[in-house]
Amino acid sequence: MVLKNIIQEAYHKVNSIDDKGQLASYIPELVNVDSESFGVYISTIDHVNFGIGNCHDKFSIQSIAKVLSLSLAYSILGEKIWSRLGVEPSGTAFNSLVQLEVDNGIPRNPFINAGAIVISDILLSHLKNPKDDFLAFVRTISNNSELNYSTKIATSEKAVGYRNIALCNFIKSFNNIENDPSEVLDFYFDLCSLEMSCKELTEVFLFLANNGYNNNDNSTIVTKSQSKRINALMQTCGFYDESGEFAFKVGLPGKSGVGGGIIAIHPNQYVIAVWSPKLNKKGNSYKGMRFLEEFTTKSELSIF
Ligand code: GLN
């Protein structure tokens, strides 16, 4: 069956199920969304593109941005980056504090909040204008100058970001944050507030299906080895304490965000983005997970 038909079939099947998820209300502004939205978009490295449902609607990509901040920091620092954080799945929630004390302020991986906060600190130390430079990086890799942060979302999260504030200060107490915690957090909240549609997400992430090269002009975004390693981290840590389940049911490197988006990558083949805002108990899109499971099962296009 052709890809388009498989996506259509899986979309309609999953769209008709009872969505057991809940919106992420701990960031007040995230509730102002049509909770029934459901979009899917696929882009292959051979330039086949197909979308369905709300695939052109912009949404808050939240933690999906952590892959992009890691990519930029990794391309600047190389392997030195791993002296500041680990590469192990945490087995805990995305905003958990519990392991940091025994691990002496070294976050388990770059995709839990603690790790992404350390990456934000690294970027703050290495970029002249972190907020502008990071946005320029995301715009350049996708050749899309319309991508932007949402001030509304960032402000909303800043106002109630108590856990992230606690995480950042706690890590600072172990000397693993160089900059002023409030500046680190401002930047972290800004990058989580990036908005994109499923189509735009696939365009941004295509380099990770293409060994680190820009699929449009072949420029290097990250090295081939870095691309492999970022994919490995997405496979093992992209869904927090549901990463095993995602590998088991979907079988692709991927990353979720509390805005209800998921990006998944089949190296050397395609990138697929799904958006459905209601989340399961682990903070991952309920329908998004179900759709991707259906898609890789029917298409037999998982990495395993
Ligand atoms: N900005 C969100 C937070 O820090 C990101 C969490 C997520 O998407 N899992 O809580």
Side-chain angles (χ1 to χ4, degrees):
M1 215 199 293
V2 279
L3 221 52
K4 188 175 156 183
N5 297 348
I6 297 172
I7 289 176
Q8 278 169 333
E9 226 171 72
Y11 182 89
H12 293 302
K13 181 171 174 188
V14 174
N15 207 18
S16 65
I17 61 172
D18 177 27
D19 193 334
K20 299 204 174 63
Q22 300 278 333
L23 292 177
S25 55
Y26 77 100
I27 300 174
E29 192 59 35
L30 280 185
V31 184
N32 294 329
V33 69
D34 178 359
S35 61
E36 298 309 310
S37 308
F38 186 27
V40 175
Y41 201 91
I42 189 165
S43 293
T44 74
I45 60 168
D46 304 328
H47 307 283
V48 174
N49 299 296
F50 176 69
I52 189 166
N54 302 92
C55 61
H56 297 292
D57 295 358
K58 284 184 189 280
F59 59 94
S60 185
I61 74 164
Q62 291 295 322
S63 284
I64 299 175
K66 292 171 180 171
V67 183
L68 303 172
S69 51
L70 169 67
S71 299
L72 181 56
Y74 202 6
S75 73
I76 296 171
L77 247 76
E79 298 308 312
K80 277 204 301 259
I81 202 171
W82 306 120
S83 64
R84 304 274 306 271
L85 71 171
V87 294
E88 290 297 337
S90 68
T92 58
F94 64 89
N95 54 5
S96 172
L97 282 132
V98 292
Q99 290 162 340
L100 274 175
E101 180 147 39
V102 275
D103 291 346
N104 294 314
I106 304 287
R108 288 276 165 108
N109 67 66
F111 297 150
I112 47 173
N113 287 11
I117 288 171
V118 168
I119 294 287
S120 301
D121 181 58
I122 291 172
L123 287 176
L124 222 56
S125 298
H126 285 84
L127 300 176
K128 259 206 186 115
N129 303 299
K131 191 174 168 184
D132 292 346
D133 295 352
F134 178 69
L135 186 60
F137 169 72
V138 178
R139 286 177 172 178
T140 307
I141 62 179
S142 57
N143 198 20
N144 182 351
S145 57
E146 277 168 28
L147 300 179
N148 222 330
Y149 303 114
S150 159
T151 314
K152 257 192 189 169
I153 298 272
T155 310
S156 176
E157 187 168 10
K158 264 172 219 178
V160 292
Y162 306 114
R163 262 189 176 256
N164 288 319
I165 295 167
L167 280 166
C168 190
N169 282 293
F170 198 42
I171 303 169
K172 177 94 178 163
S173 77
F174 291 99
N175 298 318
N176 195 19
I177 292 286
E178 290 172 353
N179 297 280
D180 177 48
S182 66
E183 282 175 34
V184 177
L185 286 161
D186 275 359
F187 181 47
Y188 170 75
F189 293 138
D190 282 334
L191 62 91
C192 287
S193 81
L194 270 177
E195 291 186 319
M196 291 181 207
S197 66
C198 290
K199 177 177 187 283
E200 289 168 333
L201 259 182
T202 63
E203 290 162 356
V204 170
F205 275 82
L206 215 47
F207 73 102
L208 289 173
N210 195 30
N211 295 303
Y213 298 106
N214 187 319
N215 209 48
N216 298 319
D217 62 13
N218 240 23
S219 59
T220 302
I221 296 166
V222 292
T223 67
K224 194 172 174 181
S225 157
Q226 288 168 345
S227 174
K228 245 195 275 184
R229 290 182 161 186
I230 294 167
N231 273 297
L233 285 165
M234 289 172 85
Q235 182 71 74
T236 51
C237 313
F239 296 79
Y240 320 109
D241 46 343
E242 204 169 35
S243 299
E245 182 134 343
F246 191 79
F248 186 72
K249 290 186 170 161
V250 178
L252 293 173
K255 184 76 204 81
S256 62
V258 289
I262 297 180
I263 187 87
I265 290 159
H266 193 310
N268 300 310
Q269 291 201 33
Y270 67 85
V271 177
I272 190 163
V274 189
W275 174 50
S276 168
K278 291 199 212 160
L279 311 178
N280 66 19
K281 292 211 164 57
K282 308 280 185 178
N284 300 314
S285 169
Y286 180 81
K287 275 191 182 171
M289 299 266 293
R290 291 289 298 268
F291 171 84
L292 288 168
E293 178 181 0
E294 194 67 28
F295 171 69
T296 53
T297 305
K298 288 275 152 58
S299 65
E300 298 184 8
L301 285 174
S302 83
I303 65 166
F304 298 109

